[in-house]
Amino acid sequence: MTASLRLFAIVLFIITVLGSGADAKNAKHKDVNPGAFKRQIAKTQVIIVDVRTPDEYNAAHMENAKMIDFKDENFKDEITKLPKDIPLCIYCRSGNRSSKTMKILKQEGFLKVYNLKGGINAWQEKGLKTVQ
């Protein structure tokens, strides 16, 4: 390998490493309380994801929430089809399934994921709006 080719390879490696580090620094994966969750979903471009079952979703869900059933055999395939560059606000009944979902999304390279701590139960306890 020539000196100039070796130098080019080193520079390319450094750019790649620094570039991937920038994405990691911009990544946010947070458990948030109902007030912070409400502020996130009020932003202009977010995707609200309900990872409960269809029966749970039909009983009550957040307005504009997309349901992707955590218990469905195709869950991981479906959840990872969502855009990675748009913040995701995820919730379930109590926060357990959505917490597991947040871990999956982090591994798959999603940059901003906000999990509703306490799930829709905590949301409703605060008197916040749901729809049927």
Side-chain angles (χ1 to χ4, degrees), residues 72-125:
D72 187 277
E73 64 184 39
N74 297 317
F75 174 75
K76 187 172 180 182
D77 291 337
E78 292 301 314
I79 199 83
T80 56
K81 286 180 184 175
L82 296 171
K84 291 184 177 184
D85 58 340
I86 297 175
L88 301 180
C89 294
I90 57 175
Y91 71 94
C92 64
R93 182 180 53 81
S94 65
N96 185 39
R97 287 173 278 180
S98 55
S99 180
K100 291 176 183 176
T101 301
M102 185 168 60
K103 289 176 185 171
I104 292 168
L105 295 171
K106 185 176 184 177
Q107 291 171 346
E108 294 294 323
F110 285 78
L111 298 179
K112 293 184 181 177
V113 182
Y114 300 93
N115 174 42
L116 177 57
K117 190 171 18 175
I120 200 164
N121 289 345
W123 181 265
Q124 291 175 317
E125 285 173 11

Side-chain angles (χ1 to χ4, degrees), residues 19-111:
S20 64
D23 284 347
K25 287 179 186 174
N26 292 330
K28 288 184 181 177
H29 302 89
K30 298 172 83 173
D31 291 312
V32 296
N33 64 37
F37 196 85
K38 183 178 180 184
R39 286 188 295 277
Q40 284 298 325
I41 64 175
K43 293 184 178 181
T44 55
Q45 191 175 26
V46 300
I47 299 172
I48 306 167
V49 182
D50 184 326
V51 297
R52 298 175 303 148
T53 65
D55 287 341
E56 290 173 304
Y57 180 86
N58 290 331
H61 60 272
M62 291 181 195
E63 192 169 15
N64 300 317
K66 174 180 180 60
M67 190 205 68
I68 303 177
D69 184 357
F70 184 84
K71 296 180 179 181
D72 187 277
E73 64 184 39
N74 297 317
F75 174 75
K76 187 172 180 182
D77 291 337
E78 292 301 314
I79 199 83
T80 56
K81 286 180 184 175
L82 296 171
K84 291 184 177 184
D85 58 340
I86 297 175
L88 301 180
C89 294
I90 57 175
Y91 71 94
C92 64
R93 182 180 53 81
S94 65
N96 185 39
R97 287 173 278 180
S98 55
S99 180
K100 291 176 183 176
T101 301
M102 185 168 60
K103 289 176 185 171
I104 292 168
L105 295 171
K106 185 176 184 177
Q107 291 171 346
E108 294 294 323
F110 285 78
L111 298 179

